[in-house]
């Protein structure tokens, strides 16, 4: 372990996990992830999974986790497709929405009864999302609905600037599209429905009889995963298997640091339990 790693000494009542960079990286589970999740489930401790990626539906995450050896109920997945759809249903069920988004989000909105619209004279809400089909036509519709007709407002699925890939690559994410719309309309985004918005944690913990202060948010991004936990009073654990490094954590002042910093995800399980189970780093299946 790194000298600056600190680890939990007790188990929490529930755990909320980021996925990419935390549970898996690309198409591979990270060391210790399977046995950690299985041990929490064996103890009947709730496990929930979050993602800011709106290009996949929750069913696709269920399929991916199953292929990686972690069968998971769809109710345990809360990504920005879920949170955006539920927020609109709960707050603006009759709104006409222009979704700059890929098919998983648009399909979810249609299935929930949200009307999708491309007529700027009728659009009430423009959604900026991670959309790899974004083009000038979509920007023009958003511009006309917000600036010219002055009737629509802007929301976004998530605030991420880029989506990281294995090997250090990445591609522009939702924040780039939001910025383009803000730049030409002069209107700021009203709400972001992904991490670090508390909306994500509310959805993740819905149905569980647990106080957020008794739960742990686990992720690899300081500005989203860890900040969301700080904003909601949850304990947090930053894993150094994705974006954040030990130097990034060390550079933070005390009030912005995660509760724990872990070199591997199964360090969430206290050392006393490791000894009880006979775990070692070389035996992490």
């Amino acid at each position: 372990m790194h000298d600056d790693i600190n680890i939990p000494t007790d188990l929490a009542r529930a755990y909320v996990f980021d996925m990419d960079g935390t549970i898996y990286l690309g198409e591979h589970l990270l060391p210790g992830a399977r046995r950690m999740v299985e041990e929490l489930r064996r103890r009947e401790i709730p496990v929930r999974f979050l993602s800011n990626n709106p290009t996949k539906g929750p069913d696709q995450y269920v399929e991916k986790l199953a292929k990686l050896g972690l069968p998971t109920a769809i109710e345990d997945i809360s990504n920005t497709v879920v949170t955006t759809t539920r927020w609109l249903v709960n707050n603006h069920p009759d709104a006409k929405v222009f979704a700059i988004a890929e098919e998983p989000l648009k399909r979810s909105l249609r299935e929930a009864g949200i009307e999708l619209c491309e007529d700027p004279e009728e659009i009430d809400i423009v959604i900026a999302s991670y959309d790899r089909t974004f083009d000038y036509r979509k920007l023009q519709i958003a511009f006309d609905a917000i600036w010219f007709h002055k009737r629509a407002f802007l929301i976004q699925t998530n605030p991420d600037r880029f989506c990281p890939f294995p090997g250090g690559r990445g591609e522009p994410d939702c924040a780039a599209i939001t910025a383009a719309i803000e730049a030409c309309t002069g209107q700021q985004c009203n709400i972001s429905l992904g991490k670090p918005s508390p909306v994500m944690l509310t959805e993740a913990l819905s149905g569980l009889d647990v106080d957020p202060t008794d739960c742990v948010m686990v992720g690899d991004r300081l500005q989203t995963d860890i900040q969301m936990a700080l904003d909601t009073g949850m304990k947090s654990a930053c894993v150094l298997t994705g974006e954040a490094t030990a130097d990034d954590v060390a550079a933070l002042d005390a009030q912005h640091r995660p509760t724990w910093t872990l070199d591997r995800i199964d360090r969430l399980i206290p050392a006393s339990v490791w000894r009880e189970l006979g775990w070692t780093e070389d035996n992490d299946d």
Side-chain angles (χ1 to χ4, degrees), residues 166-197:
R169 289 191 63 251
E171 63 185 17
D173 205 325
C174 178
I177 295 172
T178 302
I181 298 169
E182 289 179 333
C184 65
T185 64
Q187 183 184 111
Q188 297 297 300
C189 179
N190 280 38
I191 186 170
S192 183
L193 296 164
K195 297 176 291 183
S197 170

Side-chain angles (χ1 to χ4, degrees), residues 171-234:
E171 63 185 17
D173 205 325
C174 178
I177 295 172
T178 302
I181 298 169
E182 289 179 333
C184 65
T185 64
Q187 183 184 111
Q188 297 297 300
C189 179
N190 280 38
I191 186 170
S192 183
L193 296 164
K195 297 176 291 183
S197 170
V199 173
M200 287 291 284
L201 281 177
T202 299
E203 290 299 333
L205 297 175
S206 63
L208 297 179
D209 186 21
V210 292
D211 190 290
T213 58
D214 295 327
C215 305
V216 178
M217 174 67 215
V218 189
D220 68 302
R221 287 189 166 194
L222 297 171
Q223 293 81 12
T224 54
D225 303 318
I226 304 308
Q227 189 60 51
M228 180 172 61
L230 292 169
D231 290 344
T232 54
M234 282 181 68

Side-chain angles (χ1 to χ4, degrees), residues 133-170:
T133 67
F134 181 58
D135 58 13
Y136 199 86
R137 182 188 72 87
K138 294 181 180 182
L139 182 61
Q140 184 71 61
I141 293 172
F143 175 81
D144 288 344
I146 294 170
W147 184 84
F148 184 71
H149 293 290
K150 295 183 170 36
R151 59 172 288 129
F153 64 89
L154 176 66
I155 67 173
Q156 66 177 2
T157 53
N158 57 295
D160 300 84
R161 294 182 296 108
F162 67 94
C163 180
F165 294 161
R169 289 191 63 251

Side-chain angles (χ1 to χ4, degrees), residues 58-77:
D59 57 322
Q60 292 173 278
Y61 283 107
V62 168
E63 181 180 356
K64 177 165 186 172
L65 289 171
K67 286 181 178 178
L68 293 176
L70 282 178
T72 299
I74 197 167
E75 293 80 11
D76 294 345
I77 305 290

Side-chain angles (χ1 to χ4, degrees), residues 10 14-15 51 84 93 110 128 147 157 162 189 192 235-236 239 245 251 261 272:
D10 297 295
Y15 291 84
S51 173
T84 302
R110 288 193 297 265
W147 184 84
T157 53
F162 67 94
C189 179
S192 183
K235 297 181 180 67
S236 61
V239 289
T245 66
T261 304
S272 59

